[in-house]
Amino acid sequence: MGGAASVALSRERDDINAVVNIDAPFFSELVYDKVTNQITAKSEAFTIPLLNVYSDDVWIQLYSSPPYIANRISNENFKDAYNVHFKGAKHLSLTDLPLFSPILADLLHEGRKANIDKYYAIETQNELILRFFDYALKNQGQFAPKATY
C-alpha cells in the first residue's frame, strides 16, 4: 500500500512537494455516496506534481474498477499528473522482487508471468522517478515521459 499511502500522506503534510504512486489506487481520494450507493472521487485539486506508474494489472482497471475511479487519467483534479504504463508488466514487475526471486514473483502473480524484461522494468522506472524528482523538486531539466514503456 505504499503508493496509496504516499498519495494520502501528501494531502496531510506541507513538506511533501512531489509524489510517486506506483500501481496503487488512490484510496484517500475516494468518497462513498450513501444516496447513490456509489464510490466517487473527491473534487479537491491536487496541488503538487504526481507521477503515476502503472502495470498492465492496474492499467486495464483504470476505467472499469471502482477503487481506481480517482486514478483515472481524465481526472481534472490531477492537472500536474504524469501517467506512465509499463506494457507487459505485472504488479510485482515494478518492484525489485523479480530481480532476486523470480520464482516467488511468478508464484505471487499466480503463475502469470510478466512479459517485460525485469531489468528493463526496474531500471527504466528508477530513471523516470529520478528525472521526475529532479524536475519537480530541483527544477532541473524537462520531464515529458512517454505514455507507454
Side-chain angles (χ1 to χ4, degrees), residues 43-121:
S43 59
E44 183 181 343
F46 205 78
T47 59
I48 60 175
L50 171 67
L51 172 61
N52 295 302
V53 180
Y54 295 118
S55 68
D56 284 348
D57 292 338
V58 171
W59 191 253
I60 61 173
Q61 296 183 65
L62 287 180
Y63 285 91
S64 63
S65 180
Y68 290 97
I69 192 169
N71 293 63
R72 293 187 178 155
I73 294 168
S74 61
N75 187 338
E76 294 178 8
N77 295 320
F78 297 97
K79 62 183 175 185
D80 291 325
Y82 301 90
N83 300 288
V84 298
H85 167 221
F86 279 80
K87 188 175 175 93
K90 299 292 181 195
H91 180 71
L92 293 173
S93 304
L94 303 177
T95 72
D96 58 0
L97 182 62
L99 300 177
F100 66 85
S101 185
I103 294 170
L104 181 57
D106 288 345
L107 284 172
L108 292 172
H109 282 136
E110 300 171 353
R112 299 174 296 126
K113 290 187 176 196
N115 293 323
I116 191 168
D117 179 77
K118 59 189 173 188
Y119 296 103
Y120 172 79

